[in-house]
Amino acid sequence: MYTIIVEITCYCQDFESQVVELWNKVLWTDPITIGKFRRQALFDDNFDPALCSVAVKGDMPVGFILATKRKFPYLERGLEPERGWINVLFVDEGFHRKGLGTKLLLCAEERLAELGVKNITFGAYSPNYFFPGLDCVNYPPAKFFFDKHGYKAGEEAYSMKKDLHGFFLSKEALAKKTEAEKKGYTFINFNYRYALELLEFAKTEFGGGWKRNALISMQNNLASDCILLALNKDGKIAGFCMRMIDGNPLRFGPIGVAESERNAGLGGILFDLMQAEMAKRGLYSLFFLSTDMPGRRFYERHGLSVFRTFTDYRKEL
């Protein structure tokens, strides 16, 4: 049997540029910069060097894994004490089928178990996930790898996009907006007089993650440009949508309408208005990273198409 002389060691920054270079070579549909790697991995509050390992042959990284167990509470989810994540795992193609990926994975799983983790999710780590799940289309060997190691496939999530060149509000869209206005609804760009109301609305209706997105937009003085509001006849927030949650002006979402206001077509109107606002600013492409099947159907009605599919993968320890 062929033996590879490879050392598994905890990550240190001496490996930084080489790890990112290997990442971009292996995870070819998910390239990153060193800045993004630092921001979403090393500078995450829960980063733990003991859960981040590099496989090294000589002085060259040939594999990498990042796992996470919360050390600090995340909004209403708290510490999720029994939950852990495999944020990312990759091995140089020349070292596939030689047991290196297995060694990295088992090492991370053992350490997570020692910390009290009882279930592990691949990707989908909030707030700093690299992937909302496993991309079985672009990385088919990864599917067989995680299947072999006891991970179970769950629901799918979809990344979607739309070309906004030439976008304009159709007669149908304008008619829907007019009909809603006759019922007392108004649609406006965000105004800071609604700041506290929006934060409470987002938290109450959709959870702390949505509140966090709106809050960061406000803190960065972007909200007036990046958030739209739907107000009901009493002048209260009935729904909102936004973009640029990660600094990318083309990234759309989230969008939500109060449960009590979901029969007036407000979501579709807000989405149409956001597309128009983006086109006005010369932003001729729109995308988001993750929605479920009902969301996919909604967006397909508005002309979006799926460009990636991710599968939720989990394992019980």
Side-chain angles (χ1 to χ4, degrees):
M1 182 177 178
Y2 181 76
T3 301
I4 309 170
I5 303 175
V6 175
E7 178 187 3
I8 306 295
T9 183
C10 287
Y11 175 85
C12 75
Q13 286 199 262
D14 291 343
F15 298 124
E16 184 175 73
S17 61
Q18 293 170 315
V19 165
V20 171
E21 182 179 354
L22 181 61
W23 178 312
N24 291 334
K25 174 185 174 184
V26 178
L27 302 181
W28 53 275
T29 59
D30 299 279
I32 62 168
T33 63
I34 287 177
K36 182 175 181 179
F37 176 71
R38 291 172 183 165
R39 184 171 64 253
Q40 292 186 224
L42 308 186
F43 299 160
D44 183 85
D45 287 341
N46 296 303
F47 176 76
D48 184 346
L51 292 172
C52 185
S53 299
V54 183
V56 183
K57 183 179 182 183
D59 60 355
M60 181 62 63
V62 294
F64 176 83
I65 189 168
L66 170 65
T68 298
K69 165 77 166 63
R70 293 198 193 279
K71 296 183 287 185
F72 298 95
Y74 179 64
L75 305 173
E76 72 271 16
R77 297 186 190 180
L79 285 171
E80 299 181 278
E82 296 185 349
R83 191 174 185 190
W85 289 263
I86 302 297
N87 305 61
V88 61
L89 166 61
F90 56 88
V91 173
D92 189 294
E93 187 174 353
F95 290 81
H96 284 188
R97 300 183 181 275
K98 293 179 172 65
L100 185 53
T102 295
K103 188 177 294 187
L104 285 165
L105 180 63
L106 293 180
C107 180
E109 289 182 348
E110 181 179 345
R111 290 172 178 171
L112 286 170
E114 291 170 353
L115 294 171
V117 167
K118 295 183 179 179
N119 58 83
I120 300 176
T121 301
F122 177 80
Y125 161 71
S126 297
N128 289 326
Y129 68 82
F130 294 102
F131 326 96
L134 188 65
D135 183 344
C136 300
V137 174
N138 287 303
Y139 307 118
K143 169 180 166 46
F144 297 109
F145 176 84
F146 282 102
D147 285 342
K148 180 179 73 173
H149 288 287
Y151 287 74
K152 304 299 183 183
E155 296 184 355
E156 292 185 336
Y158 308 96
S159 297
M160 302 185 74
K161 64 181 179 178
K162 183 177 181 180
D163 185 344
L164 295 180
H165 282 91
F167 179 85
F168 63 93
L169 290 171
S170 66
K171 290 181 180 179
E172 292 81 4
L174 290 170
K176 289 179 181 178
K177 179 174 178 288
T178 298
E179 184 64 25
E181 289 170 340
K182 288 179 180 178
K183 296 177 181 178
Y185 293 104
T186 56
F187 304 89
I188 64 170
N189 289 80
F190 176 80
N191 184 301
Y192 277 90
R193 64 177 289 196
Y194 295 100
L196 296 182
E197 183 182 347
L198 177 58
L199 294 175
E200 184 61 27
F201 175 87
K203 177 184 176 182
T204 301
E205 293 285 344
F206 306 105
W210 292 51
K211 174 183 176 180
R212 179 179 181 273
N213 290 328
L215 179 62
I216 291 173
S217 186
M218 295 178 198
Q219 289 171 336
N220 291 326
N221 201 31
L222 297 170
S224 297
D225 189 56
C226 295
I227 298 178
L228 296 178
L229 302 178
L231 308 178
N232 63 22
K233 62 182 180 180
D234 298 317
K236 300 297 183 180
I237 295 175
F240 81 107
C241 71
M242 61 181 297
R243 62 180 178 88
M244 202 172 173
I245 62 172
D246 63 352
N248 188 323
L250 306 181
R251 183 174 176 181
F252 174 80
I255 180 172
V257 174
E259 186 175 1
S260 61
E261 305 274 5
R262 290 179 187 170
N263 295 318
L266 301 183
I269 296 168
L270 282 168
F271 185 55
D272 285 334
L273 292 175
M274 180 60 81
Q275 292 176 85
E277 290 296 315
M278 292 176 71
K280 288 177 187 177
R281 290 160 174 74
L283 303 174
Y284 295 124
S285 181
L286 172 152
F287 80 96
F288 55 81
L289 295 181
S290 181
T291 191
D292 57 12
M293 180 55 76
R296 172 179 172 171
R297 289 194 288 265
F298 169 83
Y299 289 113
E300 285 178 334
R301 292 196 297 270
H302 287 269
L304 277 74
S305 60
V306 173
F307 68 92
R308 291 185 75 178
T309 299
F310 297 89
T311 303
D312 182 76
Y313 260 76
R314 303 189 185 204
K315 180 179 180 178
E316 299 293 328
L317 294 180

